[in-house]
Amino acid sequence: MAFSGALTLTDLNDFITPSQACIKPVEQSNPAPVHDPGAASTQIQVDSSGSYYEVSPIGRTEANAKKKLQTAEISLNDCLACSGCITSAESVLITLQSHTEVLNFLSSNPAPSSPTHKIPVLSIAPQSLASLAASLSSSSARPVSLTQVLRRVRAFATRVLGFEHVFDTTFARHVALREHAREFAERRAGKDGAGKLPMLASACPGWVCYAEKTHAEMLPFISAAKSPQQVMGTLVKEWMGAKWGKAPDQVYHVTVMPCYDKKLEASRQDFYNDVYATRDVDCVITTGELDLLMREKDWDLSEPVAGELDPPASSPSDVTALPELLVHPGSSSGSYLHSLIASFIASSPVPLIHTVRTVRNADYEEHTVVDEAGTPVFRGARCYGFRNLQNVVRKVGRDAGVQVGRGAAGRVAALRRARKADAGGEERGYNYVEVMACPGGCVNGGGQLRPTAGAEKSVDAEGFARDWAESGVRVEEDGLQIQAPSAKWGDKEWTKKVEETYWRALPTPPPTPTPEEREIERAEEEKRRWADRLAVEVLYEMCRPGESPPHDGTWDVQMDERAETTRRKLFRTQYRAVESEVVGLAVKW
Amino acid sequence: MDQDLLARIQLIAHLEGHDDRAWHVAWNPVRPILASCSADKTVRLYNYRPTQNAESPSDISLEFSLNTTIPTGHAKTVRAVAWSPSGKTLATASFDSNIGIWAQEEEGDEDSNLQGEWECMSLLEGHETECKSIAYSSSGTLLASCSRDKTVWVWEVHPDSDFECMGVMMEHTQDVKCVAWHPTEEILASASYDDTIKLYVDDPSEDWFCFTTLTGHTSTVWSLAFSPDGRFLASGSDDQTIRIWERVQEHRWECISVLEGHDRSVYSVSWGRGKGEGHLGWLASTGGDGLILVWEMSLEATESGKDKMSRKLIARLPAGHGVHDINSIVWCPRQGLEDVFATAGDDGVARVWKVVPSNS
């Protein structure tokens, strides 16, 4: 069952397995006593409480017989710096970023009147809302929309937990998508220092982590644009913080994500503010952990809250208001490929045709944009899941002629490939790939809610609920019911449901919309315009303070060099290969 | 006691040359080539040709000569080798976690013996840690591999030494020791340190998945071999036994027999067609005790009408590689050589043997 969490940290049999022992050197900060020359070596003792003592076997006095040693501590960053054991990193991050940590913070946060009070802010990903909504919908007569769930969560977080602001991360995604498209244009234009093509999505931390550890040759291809979570971090700590008159360390930012690996992402060095000693996202909890939190506090998410059916605002109500639940058509994992294609088509002087081809299964789609003459002008792909990810790495490596293999054998193979590529006849590669580590993408993230136990299996082939054992059917595996598909693809059905729920925020407009539907559409359009305007305002307020953006300014506006440097610092990041230096235990067989 | 058996095992070649323990041997299914691999990171290829004994012309033997040594470039031990069914491609599984795909540069015409050097045509990366075993499917269109990282991978073979990953199965809870393909269908089996055997098939609309887990061994399962007719699967284990599993329904396999006789780990089993008629082939086993056993497997009609497997030990040879462990045993798949097998041992030697009737 670990399949859907292929690259997540949900269980100890994680795919990225501990490949070696922890290499963190144990620092000893207790000053060493001056030794007699020639004194005998010491021994280490462990007492019943698990404390370590250094014991000197000679010259023992009652006072100084034992010296208590410090326990070695390993921080999450140590773990991230080592290609060794993700599993230890997991246990560390579970204690560092968990719902109990959130509760601990909130209970120790001084009152708002205190100067040390931190403003608690919660940002929730739309995929997490979809997971909660799907779970609610499966047990209620009427489907629950993302907007309703967002408002119920907001009511819970503000009333019960004491959060001062609750946002969804779609505006941050709006900004991330703009920056993403901008970076792609830079790469395509061959701008100095703009990475290589094909550009690969960077929003999936599982993929980024995997590439850094095992496929360093892929790093120049991975988009440097920050993920929505980290853009949200920047917005909350820098932009909103400034509006509230608070420094970044006076804001406590919690995100709710569909994915455990987002915890790793939030802990990256690049997202740490050295000046204020704070992270852009202080704590990441998963959808499941939010659910747990609500249960612990006896909050019933199925209970409607006042105003939950009000249409989302289409203009700001206060200085830090963000457009709510912006819809980005395309994929439920952020629509990176689609938004790129959309902006590509929109900016093209000639009409273009966009075609989609499914390769093998729904998790691998090829998108081609051709001009009227049928000449391809853009080739992209959407690849989800570990298996497809492998093939992307191979294909991109081959097409771009980068060395995939390590070691002498790899060099020979690469040489051969290069020779073959020179010989010509090579098929054109992709320009862009939306890569996600989980099959099904983010709606099936490792941190999402799982279908209620038994809910899937207790339904027969025709969809009728029944108790197999009571009906006299042998439940254990037999020749007719082979174990795997039922066990594995039960989850698949659930993912489909979450996917449907995810898109319920935006009803597909029918050919002849009713006045109400036209009204919804108009409001959506209004909201999107607000988002575009706000994005540029944010950009100017952060990069060129005091100056207002040009009237028709877009995110693509070119500012002076200093402002552009600030923009890169705020909305882009970088990746680095993790060297695997440690040799595992000598394996004999 | 050995003379009571129907046959004896005769050494026909002693192939030295590896600088470290020899792990595995593989017979080219088409051409007269035997490959051996070793912890010295090389693969040695031997040619062989039949020779006749001047005294008894019916006694056909084989004469081996070193063809070439491939210094694979793998950074660590080459643990296993496998030939594609076409005999044109050799795959190497290494402890450096990679799989090498080797073929000869074609120079001159097809039948010419003056073919080029063996070159690495492709390197398959993906396993996180030591790759332990590889196998081509019977059609040659799929390649399976397994590793200490607990995963089993299926690769599709594309033209031009290109490969596409078709599936990554994370079913075992421990190191996976061996993969083996069914002789006619696309059914894959894997054996692990977690004491189980898992069988996989492709779901055409989805991915490869494990459809059953065979439990019964009480320790590591080291080796797997399907019977030539595909109805049975033999497994060798650290529990010193060999189990025979029968396919009783399309997706259901049951243990029908436990073979004993070894007093150390059974590292390798191989199920060849064998000589003669009226049986299911010959099963050879070896392991940490250096003992080589050859069984004739056959079906017996029972009163209930359902036939039942029976086995008969036909040959036995202790200390096949002296005091050393024997790491693998492999029957020659080529026509007319059904009584020939090769072994690889910790002494760095590959040996070739022939099963001959006791009375000859």
Side-chain angles (χ1 to χ4, degrees):
Chain A
M1 287 305 290
F3 193 81
S4 59
L7 275 168
T8 65
L9 302 171
T10 44
D11 62 6
L12 293 175
N13 288 323
D14 198 310
F15 180 70
I16 300 176
T17 47
S19 48
Q20 48 241 200
C22 181
I23 53 155
K24 166 80 169 156
V26 179
E27 280 174 40
Q28 181 53 266
S29 59
N30 290 358
V34 184
H35 277 291
D36 296 332
S41 58
T42 56
Q43 295 175 343
I44 307 285
Q45 276 184 359
V46 186
D47 74 6
S48 55
S49 69
S51 298
Y52 294 83
Y53 293 91
E54 186 177 303
V55 189
S56 178
I58 53 162
R60 177 181 297 190
T61 65
E62 278 307 305
N64 198 17
K66 283 178 173 183
K67 184 159 63 79
K68 188 166 184 199
L69 297 176
Q70 275 204 333
T71 312
E73 278 184 21
I74 299 154
S75 77
L76 182 54
N77 276 322
D78 294 323
C79 291
L80 291 174
C82 164
S83 67
C85 52
I86 273 264
T87 354
S88 339
E90 179 199 20
S91 57
V92 177
L93 64 84
I94 276 174
T95 54
L96 288 186
Q97 300 189 42
S98 64
H99 72 288
T100 33
E101 181 61 27
V102 173
L103 290 177
N104 287 346
F105 164 79
L106 291 168
S107 62
S108 63
N109 193 21
S113 55
S114 160
T116 54
H117 170 75
K118 293 186 180 190
I119 297 185
V121 178
L122 184 79
S123 304
I124 181 163
Q127 293 88 0
S128 296
L129 293 172
S131 182
L132 292 166
S135 175
L136 288 178
S137 301
S138 67
S139 58
S140 83
R142 292 191 47 172
V144 185
S145 75
L146 301 201
T147 315
Q148 284 168 287
V149 177
L150 174 63
R151 289 172 187 181
R152 292 179 195 178
V153 169
R154 180 176 287 145
F156 165 70
T158 50
R159 285 184 224 160
V160 180
L161 297 181
F163 276 94
E164 290 173 38
H165 300 273
V166 177
F167 301 101
D168 67 81
T169 61
T170 55
F171 175 70
R173 180 171 75 191
H174 197 69
V175 169
L177 287 170
R178 291 289 172 280
E179 188 60 21
H180 203 70
R182 188 180 157 84
E183 185 190 2
F184 181 74
E186 283 172 10
R187 289 185 184 223
R188 199 157 170 124
K191 240 181 107 180
D192 280 351
K196 302 200 230 172
L197 283 181
M199 188 163 98
L200 309 176
S202 62
C204 172
W207 149 239
V208 169
C209 187
Y210 180 69
E212 286 187 321
K213 286 186 176 190
T214 59
H215 288 287
E217 77 281 359
M218 288 294 121
L219 299 183
F221 299 100
I222 299 180
S223 164
K226 278 188 186 176
S227 73
Q229 168 173 278
Q230 294 312 133
V231 169
M232 195 65 199
T234 304
L235 290 178
V236 168
K237 290 268 172 139
E238 310 274 344
W239 181 69
M240 293 185 187
K243 299 223 170 220
W244 297 325
K246 294 282 183 183
D249 60 345
Q250 293 174 305
V251 177
Y252 187 79
H253 186 201
V254 179
T255 59
V256 181
M257 289 286 145
C259 167
Y260 276 89
D261 291 10
K262 284 282 170 191
K263 297 182 190 227
L264 293 168
E265 184 183 87
S267 317
R268 291 175 73 93
Q269 199 64 49
D270 296 289
F271 306 137
Y272 183 76
N273 184 328
D274 288 322
V275 180
Y276 291 99
T278 182
R279 284 199 299 259
D280 293 345
V281 177
D282 293 282
C283 187
V284 180
I285 60 171
T286 61
T287 316
E289 286 164 334
L290 174 65
D291 187 57
L292 203 65
L293 197 57
M294 291 189 285
R295 281 171 206 278
E296 277 180 20
K297 297 282 176 186
D298 287 327
W299 180 269
D300 183 1
L301 198 63
S302 65
E303 285 292 316
V305 296
E308 67 170 27
L309 294 167
D310 292 352
S314 54
S315 59
S317 53
D318 72 67
V319 287
T320 61
L322 301 180
E324 206 175 81
L325 289 170
L326 288 163
V327 175
H328 299 106
S331 71
S332 59
S333 302
S335 307
Y336 290 88
L337 177 65
H338 278 77
S339 66
L340 214 54
I341 291 176
S343 75
F344 194 79
I345 292 178
S347 65
S348 164
V350 294
L352 299 172
I353 305 145
H354 173 198
T355 54
V356 184
R357 185 174 75 93
T358 301
V359 184
R360 221 176 297 280
N361 65 29
D363 277 348
Y364 193 166
E365 270 179 10
E366 265 183 16
H367 294 244
T368 314
V369 178
V370 295
D371 61 17
E372 281 178 302
T375 316
V377 290
F378 176 93
R379 289 191 68 210
R382 207 169 59 75
C383 286
Y384 297 167
F386 188 71
R387 189 198 79 187
N388 290 330
L389 190 149
Q390 290 302 319
N391 294 320
V392 165
V393 167
R394 286 188 72 76
K395 182 169 168 57
V396 169
R398 200 175 54 236
D399 293 346
V402 294
Q403 186 185 322
V404 178
R406 290 179 289 260
R411 278 193 290 280
V412 177
L415 202 71
R416 241 189 84 81
R417 272 197 297 276
R419 255 187 283 152
K420 203 171 286 172
D422 286 344
E426 199 191 353
E427 194 196 351
R428 258 181 52 121
Y430 296 135
N431 303 106
Y432 182 84
V433 189
E434 183 177 309
V435 189
M436 301 287 159
C438 292
C442 300
V443 286
N444 186 33
Q448 296 284 62
L449 302 179
R450 294 293 157 216
T452 349
E456 297 294 316
K457 278 176 200 147
S458 59
V459 175
D460 71 8
E462 278 137 1
F464 292 109
R466 59 187 287 186
D467 186 329
W468 289 111
E470 240 170 54
S471 323
V473 179
R474 275 177 58 210
V475 180
E476 71 261 46
E477 48 168 306
D478 57 39
L480 299 168
Q481 280 189 306
I482 49 177
Q483 67 185 18
S486 55
K488 188 190 287 173
W489 306 128
D491 263 21
K492 200 139 193 132
E493 285 307 306
W494 175 247
T495 303
K496 231 178 253 170
K497 219 167 147 185
V498 179
E499 171 90 23
E500 280 164 21
T501 313
Y502 176 90
W503 292 112
R504 207 177 291 142
L506 175 74
T508 346
T512 49
T514 62
E516 299 85 60
E517 282 160 345
R518 222 171 291 143
E519 180 56 34
I520 292 171
E521 214 182 317
R522 203 194 51 75
E524 270 302 314
E525 193 50 47
E526 191 69 21
K527 209 166 70 180
R528 207 167 305 137
R529 269 203 295 278
W530 170 25
D532 283 337
R533 206 167 53 240
L534 182 61
V536 189
E537 281 170 20
V538 167
L539 183 67
Y540 267 71
E541 280 172 31
M542 297 184 81
C543 300
R544 310 217 50 175
E547 195 179 314
S548 45
H551 178 66
D552 58 347
T554 66
W555 185 263
D556 274 332
V557 68
Q558 187 66 34
M559 302 177 289
D560 65 32
E561 194 42 50
R562 230 181 104 212
E564 285 299 330
T565 308
T566 313
R567 181 214 289 256
R568 271 195 297 278
K569 206 173 141 280
L570 290 171
F571 298 106
R572 300 223 182 152
T573 180
Q574 53 191 324
Y575 311 102
R576 47 188 84 71
V578 177
E579 281 303 319
S580 158
E581 286 166 355
V582 194
V583 181
L585 297 166
V587 172
K588 281 181 91 180
W589 304 284
Chain B
M1 115 188 141
D2 289 359
Q3 48 268 48
D4 295 343
L5 300 174
L6 288 175
R8 59 193 168 82
I9 298 166
Q10 188 181 67
L11 180 68
I12 59 175
H14 175 86
L15 307 169
E16 289 181 348
H18 283 300
D19 296 331
D20 205 332
R21 67 174 69 173
W23 275 119
H24 196 209
V25 279
W27 297 88
N28 187 303
V30 182
R31 295 155 66 190
I33 307 174
L34 176 70
S36 66
C37 64
S38 155
D40 69 7
K41 303 164 197 164
T42 69
V43 170
R44 291 170 72 86
L45 298 181
Y46 297 91
N47 289 122
Y48 56 91
R49 59 184 189 86
T51 54
Q52 273 184 344
N53 188 332
E55 289 164 32
S56 58
S58 65
D59 181 12
I60 309 271
S61 188
L62 297 172
E63 188 179 279
F64 283 77
S65 59
L66 180 69
N67 170 305
T68 188
T69 303
I70 307 174
T72 62
H74 279 300
K76 292 183 183 172
T77 294
V78 181
R79 177 63 181 86
V81 279
W83 289 99
S84 68
S86 70
K88 288 187 177 161
T89 312
L90 179 73
T92 51
S94 167
F95 280 2
D96 69 7
S97 81
N98 297 330
I99 298 160
I101 303 297
W102 306 81
Q104 268 174 304
E105 281 289 356
E106 281 175 41
E107 294 165 9
D109 42 336
E110 286 260 322
D111 303 318
S112 154
N113 280 330
L114 296 167
Q115 280 184 306
E117 294 275 297
W118 288 88
E119 285 197 52
C120 180
M121 312 303 266
S122 196
L123 194 73
L124 305 184
E125 289 185 292
H127 283 300
E128 291 264 304
T129 53
E130 292 83 352
C131 184
K132 299 294 179 81
S133 170
I134 37 169
Y136 276 96
S137 68
S138 62
S139 62
T141 56
L142 298 169
L143 179 71
S145 62
C146 64
S147 156
R148 185 166 71 89
D149 67 14
K150 307 171 191 169
T151 64
V152 173
W153 292 47
V154 176
W155 303 84
E156 190 172 66
V157 183
H158 286 204
D160 233 5
S161 301
D162 194 12
F163 287 79
E164 186 181 333
C165 174
M166 302 299 291
V168 178
M169 282 85 83
M170 307 172 206
E171 299 287 339
H172 283 294
T173 59
Q174 297 291 340
D175 189 358
V176 190
K177 299 294 188 185
C178 178
V179 281
W181 288 96
H182 188 275
T184 50
E185 294 174 49
E186 283 185 354
I187 300 174
L188 178 66
S190 66
S192 162
Y193 183 75
D194 67 12
D195 306 352
T196 69
I197 298 160
K198 289 182 184 278
L199 299 177
Y200 313 84
V201 289
D202 187 16
D203 175 345
S205 63
E206 298 293 348
D207 280 317
W208 280 79
F209 67 94
C210 168
F211 67 85
T212 190
T213 302
L214 309 182
T215 53
H217 280 297
T218 55
S219 189
T220 304
V221 188
W222 281 104
S223 178
L224 296 169
F226 280 98
S227 63
D229 69 356
R231 189 172 144 189
F232 302 94
L233 173 68
S235 57
S237 163
D238 182 56
D239 67 12
Q240 307 176 9
T241 69
I242 298 154
R243 279 176 180 258
I244 309 291
W245 312 81
E246 183 184 4
R247 186 182 196 173
V248 293
Q249 281 173 34
E250 184 175 7
H251 292 292
R252 195 181 175 106
W253 294 70
E254 278 176 1
C255 180
I256 52 157
S257 185
V258 181
L259 277 56
E260 289 173 351
H262 288 280
D263 56 18
R264 292 279 174 86
S265 274
V266 180
Y267 286 145
S268 185
V269 288
S270 179
W271 199 326
R273 288 192 300 276
K275 288 280 188 189
E277 299 278 313
H279 57 74
L280 293 166
W282 290 353
L283 180 68
S285 63
T286 190
D289 54 8
L291 176 69
I292 298 170
L293 297 177
V294 178
W295 324 69
E296 185 167 280
M297 314 300 286
S298 38
L299 283 178
E300 268 174 17
T302 58
E303 284 173 18
S304 67
K306 192 180 178 297
D307 42 16
K308 184 174 168 291
M309 159 150 289
S310 73
R311 84 268 178 167
K312 185 166 66 191
L313 185 67
I314 59 167
R316 184 176 191 278
L317 181 86
H321 283 244
V323 297
H324 300 278
D325 287 13
I326 305 181
N327 296 312
S328 66
I329 187 161
V330 184
W331 287 104
C332 180
R334 300 185 67 212
Q335 193 92 45
L337 298 174
E338 293 88 350
D339 51 357
V340 173
F341 65 85
T343 53
D346 271 0
D347 50 2
V349 173
R351 289 184 146 187
V352 184
W353 311 83
K354 189 175 177 180
V355 177
V356 293
S358 291
N359 51 15
S360 73

